Amino acid sequence: MKHVLITGCTRGLGLAMARSFVSRGWRVSGCGTNASAAEQLGKELGEKHRIMRCDVTSAADVAAFAADILAGPGAPDLLLNNAAVINRNSPLWEVSPEDFARVMDVNLNGVHLICRGFLPAMIARGTGVVVNFSSGWGRSTSAEVAPYCCSKWGIEGLTQALSQELPPGLAAVALNPGIIDTDMLRSTFGSSSSAYPDPAHWAIKVVPFLEKLGPQDNGAALTAPQ
């Protein structure tokens, strides 16, 4: 049974992907910051799957999470760094240091900690794909979301460098998921976000796309099918 690990899997895109991967016969491991949501999703998916509360910005949390998963289902075949936050719409000079730091901490530091926790086991096995979720705003910019743009441009660079470090048999790719009607999009687009697909419909096309990724995609900057 193939094994996928999804951060931020208790809501939005992560939740839709978790349900879709399970329906397609994958074992799902994942985490979210809300303990009750993680417990509820774990019960929904069933005992073959492992969903835990984990703050990806905490080295201690990630170390405990990785130890638990690696001792159970083991190294993932597909590692999806999906957890992310966005700043409230504001010009850069009005963004507080705390809000700026939070975006960087989740969107960049969290990816580093998860990779640090799981990549050694994937490398030891000799196979696996890391997908770091980027954004259209990781390849372009818009006003009032400078911290988020900065973090996602950072994901693009981090992923390119990581792809050059991985041994044969593994891959790292940056994925622009497209524009989806999520809480994050509503915070920036408002009511117009309803013009875009919801996560469940998005996952119908994207999960099969993710399943096909392999070593041949190492270093690619991809965009999810819409």
Side-chain angles (χ1 to χ4, degrees), residues 156-168 170-172 218-220:
E156 295 281 335
L158 179 151
T159 306
Q160 280 291 311
L162 174 60
S163 73
Q164 296 164 12
E165 298 166 348
L166 292 175
L170 281 86
N218 190 37

Side-chain angles (χ1 to χ4, degrees), residues 68-198:
D68 185 279
I69 299 302
L70 294 176
D77 299 288
L78 189 56
L79 173 58
L80 306 182
N81 276 309
N82 163 73
V85 297
I86 196 168
N87 60 288
R88 289 173 292 179
N89 285 21
S90 297
L92 183 60
W93 58 90
E94 292 182 5
V95 176
S96 72
E98 295 77 16
D99 287 348
F100 190 93
R102 176 63 178 166
V103 172
M104 297 303 134
D105 208 16
V106 175
N107 297 6
L108 285 171
N109 187 46
V111 170
H112 168 240
L113 290 177
I114 291 291
C115 286
R116 189 170 183 269
F118 290 95
L119 265 174
M122 296 168 71
I123 291 168
R125 188 187 56 204
T127 60
V129 177
V130 177
V131 180
N132 294 328
F133 275 60
S134 181
S135 172
W137 282 333
R139 301 166 190 173
S140 65
T141 57
S142 291
E144 300 194 331
V145 285
Y148 183 77
C149 293
C150 176
S151 73
K152 292 303 184 178
W153 280 71
I155 283 293
E156 295 281 335
L158 179 151
T159 306
Q160 280 291 311
L162 174 60
S163 73
Q164 296 164 12
E165 298 166 348
L166 292 175
L170 281 86
V173 303
L175 179 72
N176 169 17
I179 305 177
I180 309 101
D181 183 13
T182 61
D183 290 342
M184 186 180 293
L185 189 71
R186 292 183 204 118
S187 77
T188 56
F189 278 35
S191 60
S192 64
S193 65
S194 62
Y196 298 96
D198 62 41

Side-chain angles (χ1 to χ4, degrees), residues 27-48:
R27 174 172 289 165
V28 173
S29 298
C31 65
T33 55
N34 185 301
S36 61
E39 181 180 5
Q40 181 178 350
L41 180 59
K43 290 178 179 178
E44 175 192 331
L45 299 185
E47 62 182 14
K48 291 181 181 178

Side-chain angles (χ1 to χ4, degrees), residues 199-223:
H201 286 89
W202 171 87
I204 290 171
K205 291 184 178 179
V206 176
V207 166
F209 173 81
L210 293 171
E211 289 178 325
K212 296 176 183 177
L213 296 177
Q216 71 279 2
D217 300 298
N218 190 37
L222 303 174
T223 298

